[in-house]
């Protein structure tokens, strides 16, 4: 399957990301861990990220598969 990673970077360092496989945010720094904890407990933010994932992945998968289909 496809995995969607949404990274949040501050000063060139990734501090938190949304990982579609686990369906939640994962923090990498102290600040990122705090954000991840807050965002994971916020259904609105999680829902927004899931909806974005659905829209983005579905759209790009359609483009990707039609490109493959056209080549074969």
């Amino acid at each position: 399957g496809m995995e969607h990673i949404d990274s949040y970077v501050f000063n060139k360092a990734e501090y938190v990301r949304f990982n579609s496989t686990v369906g939640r945010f994962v923090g990498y720094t102290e600040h990122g861990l705090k954000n991840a904890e807050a965002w994971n407990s916020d259904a609105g933010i999680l829902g927004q990220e899931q909806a974005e994932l659905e829209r983005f992945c579905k759209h790009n998968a359609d483009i990707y598969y039609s490109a493959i289909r056209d080549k074969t």
Side-chain angles (χ1 to χ4, degrees):
M2 267 193 238
E3 180 179 58
H4 172 69
I5 302 281
D6 202 353
S7 293
Y8 296 80
V9 177
F10 179 72
N11 283 346
K12 298 196 178 104
E14 181 181 42
Y15 68 94
V16 66
R17 72 163 55 157
F18 177 81
N19 183 321
S20 68
T21 304
V22 292
R24 57 195 288 113
F25 291 92
V26 182
Y28 292 97
T29 63
E30 194 181 344
H31 176 62
L33 288 165
K34 285 195 179 106
N35 279 26
E37 198 180 339
W39 296 349
N40 284 329
S41 63
D42 185 323
I45 293 176
L46 271 185
Q48 196 178 314
E49 197 72 45
Q50 294 281 19
E52 185 68 19
L53 163 74
E54 200 59 34
R55 191 182 61 74
F56 174 84
C57 285
K58 172 113 186 57
H59 175 71
N60 286 314
D62 289 348
I63 291 169
Y64 178 72
Y65 290 123
S66 67
I68 290 171
R69 206 174 41 242
D70 295 345
K71 285 193 178 81
T72 52

